[in-house]
Amino acid sequence: FLLRHPALVAFIGFHLKGYHPHFGFDPEVTVPTSRHLRRRLQEIQNRHLKLLLYNTVRSLKELGLVNDEVIMDTTEIIARVKENNPKQFVSNRYNKNKIPNGNPDSRLGIKPSTNKSKDGKTKLRYFWGFKNGAAFQETKHGIITLNEETKAANTADVNFFFPLIKPIKDTLRITIKTFIADAAFDAWYVYHFVTKGKGTAFIPINTRGHKILQHGYGPNGRPLCPDNREMANAGTWFDKKRGYRRQKYICPLIDPHTGKRKQNQTCRCDHPKWQKKGCYKYINLDDPENSRFAIDRESCLFKRTYKKRTIAERGFSIIKNYKLEDPIFRNEDSIANLYTIAYSLMNAKVILKAKEESLPQEEALLQETAA
């Protein structure tokens, strides 16, 4: 493309070399080879390209196009390896410990499929590759990206939250009043972070395999068991793995000191766990407001606001139009840098549209002033 547009080569600022009778320099000698550009794409640190992305967001703020809504989601990046080709025979195709030789940085990921099994359960689709998470907003000139991150495919979606949201709040100084994401981001610390900034999170509940979630509480503030009895306190501790303090409640018919059933007591609802050690529940003590269940997900406001989550899907669709869904590169650094550049380009197009629209208005204002 650069060789077909020599004027662009001079405009970008390449060190002009050689001589050509029409251009004054030789584009063939001046423009680096594609191999050199691929090498630079692998070697350059992603944080330098993030500065480019953040600068486009700052330009959008100056144009008054950035609001207080953030829509977050993730998309898969398919690695070009034979393990992802169903037509090619591969033994142990989806063995997570057998890393593909074609892309040693890729990992095994899982995405739910739109198809369902005969019993109504969602089918899971396995792939080798990476994940890209991004935070979007919609403007009158198109969709923009506030931040993005590329990680291995085995990264949980909710683990993209802090790497994406903190630079938006701290570096770009954007106030988040409305946060929209799917059920994969249904974690207590997501609600805690958003509400701490006086915002509201619009996230569906994630039952995590349970058919229903019951969180009733008795007169002493302890949760109720399925038998509608107030559960017994079984102690508190700090869960190092989860990073917060937890409290355990057990079946009120079980002695918390001995772990044995109380005499002449039986479960009125004959719960399946009663045959073992009874029901139990864990409460997060670092989330006393129980913010996950403080949201009315049946309200018109929630349903109307959550519909905006399709903005993220449309944003990823723009990126996929750049042919980045299955990039040719075979390492994580190159793929991450390529996605950062693509999102910067997406923002730059919105900036150009906004400036093109403002030019006629400025000219009309000058004419009125002159008159």
Side-chain angles (χ1 to χ4, degrees), residues 30-87:
T30 301
V31 178
T33 63
S34 58
R35 180 180 179 184
H36 172 75
L37 294 176
R38 288 194 299 270
R39 183 170 64 249
R40 292 296 299 158
L41 193 64
Q42 180 178 355
E43 295 174 352
I44 192 171
Q45 297 184 26
N46 186 257
R47 60 188 177 92
H48 297 311
L49 295 176
K50 281 287 176 63
L51 294 177
L52 178 65
L53 176 64
Y54 295 159
N55 283 337
T56 62
V57 178
R58 292 188 181 97
S59 298
L60 290 164
K61 286 183 67 177
E62 293 173 359
L63 293 169
L65 297 177
V66 177
N67 54 50
D68 55 8
E69 286 186 349
V70 173
I71 300 95
M72 189 176 294
D73 203 356
T74 64
T75 185
E76 67 269 25
I77 305 174
I78 309 299
R80 289 201 176 186
V81 294
K82 62 182 180 180
E83 284 78 2
N84 285 330
N85 185 359
K87 296 182 179 180

Side-chain angles (χ1 to χ4, degrees), residues 6-18:
L8 185 59
V9 175
F11 177 79
I12 289 176
F14 285 106
H15 182 62
L16 305 181
K17 300 177 182 178

Side-chain angles (χ1 to χ4, degrees), residues 10 12-13 16 111 127 131 140 148-149 163 213 219 230 232-233 236 243 245 270 277 309 327 337 359 361 367:
I12 289 176
L16 305 181
K111 291 290 285 186
F127 70 97
K131 275 185 184 179
K140 61 181 180 179
E148 62 84 32
E149 193 77 23
L213 291 177
E230 197 168 17
N233 188 350
T236 63
R245 294 178 300 124
D270 195 21
K277 293 185 178 181
R309 199 188 69 83
N337 290 336
L359 284 175
Q361 297 177 358
Q367 291 177 1

Side-chain angles (χ1 to χ4, degrees), residues 233-259:
N233 188 350
T236 63
W237 78 102
F238 181 81
D239 193 325
K240 294 182 179 179
K241 184 178 180 180
R242 290 177 170 82
Y244 57 84
R245 294 178 300 124
R246 304 179 79 189
Q247 183 164 2
K248 184 178 181 180
Y249 292 99
I250 62 172
C251 175
L253 307 181
I254 302 293
D255 189 331
H257 301 288
T258 62

Side-chain angles (χ1 to χ4, degrees), residues 50 54 72 133 135 146-151 155-169 171 185 189 193:
K50 281 287 176 63
Y54 295 159
M72 189 176 294
L146 303 178
N147 198 11
E148 62 84 32
E149 193 77 23
T150 300
K151 296 179 179 290
T155 305
D157 288 5
V158 71
N159 290 340
F160 284 86
F161 176 74
F162 283 120
L164 291 175
I165 208 72
K166 284 187 174 181
I168 294 174
K169 182 177 179 293
T171 304
F185 291 86
Y189 49 83
F193 184 91

